[in-house]
């Protein structure tokens, strides 16, 4: 495989919600980026999103004017897979979360690149074994799951498929670290990897608390924000068990686990919302009603908090 110090140019497949963010991450750390979008309009929209994002980063002293100009120059918009593959040393893909679409893109890409170039997908849950089953060289395929927004959240889950080589995992992990991310290498693949499994386990219980009349949606979110949410960024979910005493947690689980949500199907509450077209912020209402002002406020607050974390990461400080 091409070693980390040999990687100079990135094939960035996709320029939507995740794709323009991964392009920023790589370009910010000195890599030339071939950013693929299927239409010129897609590229133009992505460059607009990039400039808007960089303006916020500059306003928060995460980027200088000179760094911004250099970063933008390193991102090259292209509209064909052939152009995207030209002279690249590593691939990061964030096209539509559709198995057939991803496999088609990779089959085409494999015709343009030698076997020592790693193919990494930013999929949030697809099996790397299944995605790479269409490849002649599945050993070079791996998941590099960035979290949204990728330019603000440092985590990247590095997930091997059944045929992924150890070298592919190691090189991908080192590359993620080199672009300022916090890579976490999983021992094996599992649906949802680790992050989404934890996220959806919490979501399942949160919705159950609302559905069962234990608390309102507002109260459930309030408890997370001002309780466990304050601790999770410092101790995660497992360290508190050791800190509090495993005997204590064992005794609590002995009576509490039986009463926790264990639905195997989708939540009836979510189904009702989806069936009624209440899809959340993008439709104006979901579990909450969303006015444009409310949406702008919560997105701005989220951004402010994530930037505060990034600044502390940069200086080595901890909360």
């Amino acid at each position: 495989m091409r070693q980390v110090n040999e990687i100079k140019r990135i094939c960035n497949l996709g320029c939507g919600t995740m794709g323009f963010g991964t392009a920023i991450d790589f370009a910010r750390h000195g890599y030339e980026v071939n950013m693929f979008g299927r239409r010129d309009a897609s590229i133009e929209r992505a460059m607009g999103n990039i400039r808007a994002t960089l303006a916020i980063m500059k306003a928060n002293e995460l980027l200088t004017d000179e760094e911004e100009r250099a970063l933008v120059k390193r991102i090259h918009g292209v509209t064909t897979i052939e152009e995207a593959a030209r002279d690249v040393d590593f691939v990061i893909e964030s096209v539509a979360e559709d198995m057939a679409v991803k496999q088609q893109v990779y089959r085409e890409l494999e015709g343009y690149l030698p076997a020592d170039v790693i193919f990494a997908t930013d999929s949030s849950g697809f099996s790397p074994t299944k995605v790479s089953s269409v490849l002649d060289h599945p050993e070079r395929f791996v998941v590099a799951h960035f979290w949204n927004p990728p330019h603000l959240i440092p985590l990247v889950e590095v997930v091997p498929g059944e045929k992924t080589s150890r070298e592919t995992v190691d090189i991908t992990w080192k590359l993620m670290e080199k672009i300022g991310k916090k890579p976490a290498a999983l021992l094996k693949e599992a649906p949802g990897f680790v992050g989404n499994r934890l996220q959806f386990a919490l979501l399942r219980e949160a919705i159950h608390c609302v559905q069962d009349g234990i608390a309102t949606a507002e109260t459930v979110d309030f408890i997370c924000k001002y309780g466990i949410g304050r601790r999770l960024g410092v101790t995660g979910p497992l360290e508190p068990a050791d800190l509090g005493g495993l005997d204590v947690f064992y005794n609590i689980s002995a009576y509490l686990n039986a009463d926790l949500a264990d639905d195997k199907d989708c939540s009836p509450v979510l189904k009702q919302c989806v069936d009624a077209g209440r899809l959340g912020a993008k439709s104006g209402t979901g579990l909450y009603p969303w006015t444009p002002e409310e949406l702008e406020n919560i997105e701005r607050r989220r951004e402010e908090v994530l930037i505060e974390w990034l600044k502390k990461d940069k200086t080595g400080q901890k909360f």
Side-chain angles (χ1 to χ4, degrees):
M1 294 297 170
R2 222 160 280 198
Q3 300 302 302
V4 173
N5 60 2
E6 298 175 311
I7 297 173
K8 307 296 181 186
R9 182 177 288 267
I10 306 298
C11 172
N12 194 98
L13 297 172
C15 59
T17 301
M18 297 300 292
F20 85 83
T22 57
I24 288 173
D25 278 333
F26 282 104
R28 186 182 179 193
H29 289 83
Y31 294 90
E32 297 293 323
V33 179
N34 295 349
M35 184 177 69
F36 168 77
R38 294 201 177 275
R39 295 177 295 277
D40 289 334
S42 301
I43 299 295
E44 291 171 10
R45 184 168 55 251
M47 292 307 300
N49 288 334
I50 287 170
R51 290 189 174 90
T53 298
L54 298 184
I56 293 170
M57 293 174 74
K58 283 198 305 177
N60 286 276
E61 301 179 342
L62 292 172
L63 202 67
T64 65
D65 288 337
E66 183 179 351
E67 288 170 335
E68 178 194 31
R69 287 191 293 270
L71 189 159
V72 171
K73 286 182 180 178
R74 294 188 192 106
I75 299 176
H76 315 282
V78 298
T79 55
T80 68
I81 298 295
E82 183 177 6
E83 291 173 299
R86 190 167 297 153
D87 301 322
V88 302
D89 308 297
F90 185 89
V91 175
I92 181 68
E93 169 269 314
S94 56
V95 300
E97 196 73 349
D98 180 294
M99 179 71 74
V101 171
K102 289 183 183 295
Q103 289 180 330
Q104 180 181 349
V105 166
Y106 281 115
R107 276 196 299 265
E108 182 176 355
L109 189 65
E110 198 166 37
Y112 295 116
L113 290 173
D116 65 345
V117 173
I118 290 173
F119 289 2
T121 179
D122 184 28
S123 172
S124 60
F126 276 152
S127 160
T129 299
K130 290 182 180 178
V131 179
S132 64
S133 64
V134 300
L135 296 178
D136 292 330
H137 296 283
E139 72 279 357
R140 51 115 149 240
F141 189 89
V142 70
V143 169
H145 177 216
F146 289 68
W147 280 67
N148 188 33
H151 60 285
L152 294 180
I153 295 185
L155 176 66
V156 178
E157 291 178 286
V158 181
V159 187
E162 291 177 3
K163 296 185 179 180
T164 304
S165 72
R166 181 73 243 179
E167 186 180 21
T168 294
V169 171
D170 290 344
I171 292 170
T172 302
W173 193 96
K174 291 174 184 175
L175 180 62
M176 295 302 107
E177 191 174 50
K178 197 171 180 182
I179 64 170
K181 311 309 285 186
K182 298 290 186 182
L186 275 58
L187 300 176
K188 64 178 183 178
E189 66 177 292
F193 313 139
V194 170
N196 270 325
R197 293 175 77 93
L198 296 175
Q199 180 171 250
F200 275 80
L202 179 57
L203 177 63
R204 179 170 66 179
E205 187 60 40
I207 290 177
H208 172 73
C209 287
V210 175
Q211 182 178 301
D212 209 40
I214 298 170
T216 65
E218 291 84 355
T219 299
V220 171
D221 279 337
F222 186 91
I223 288 169
C224 285
K225 291 174 185 176
Y226 296 101
I228 59 175
R230 292 291 176 95
R231 295 192 313 204
L232 281 175
V234 180
T235 59
L238 295 177
E239 288 169 326
D242 264 1
L243 293 174
L246 294 182
D247 54 335
V248 175
F249 277 74
Y250 175 82
N251 290 334
I252 293 173
S253 67
Y255 71 81
L256 183 58
N257 280 6
D259 199 55
L260 295 178
D262 62 356
D263 314 61
K264 299 303 180 186
D265 296 321
C266 295
S267 160
V269 171
L270 287 185
K271 187 176 189 305
Q272 288 169 11
C273 288
V274 172
D275 288 347
R278 303 196 309 272
L279 306 181
K282 63 184 176 182
S283 67
T285 185
L287 296 171
Y288 291 93
W290 293 99
T291 65
E293 294 76 21
E294 288 169 333
L295 185 57
E296 181 181 350
N297 286 339
I298 196 168
E299 289 179 338
R300 183 175 64 249
R301 178 58 183 150
R302 181 181 69 173
E303 192 171 68
E304 289 171 353
V305 171
L306 293 177
I307 286 173
E308 186 178 355
W309 272 107
L310 270 187
K311 286 181 175 179
K312 289 186 178 293
D313 286 342
K314 193 173 182 181
T315 59
Q317 298 180 52
K318 295 185 182 297
F319 275 92

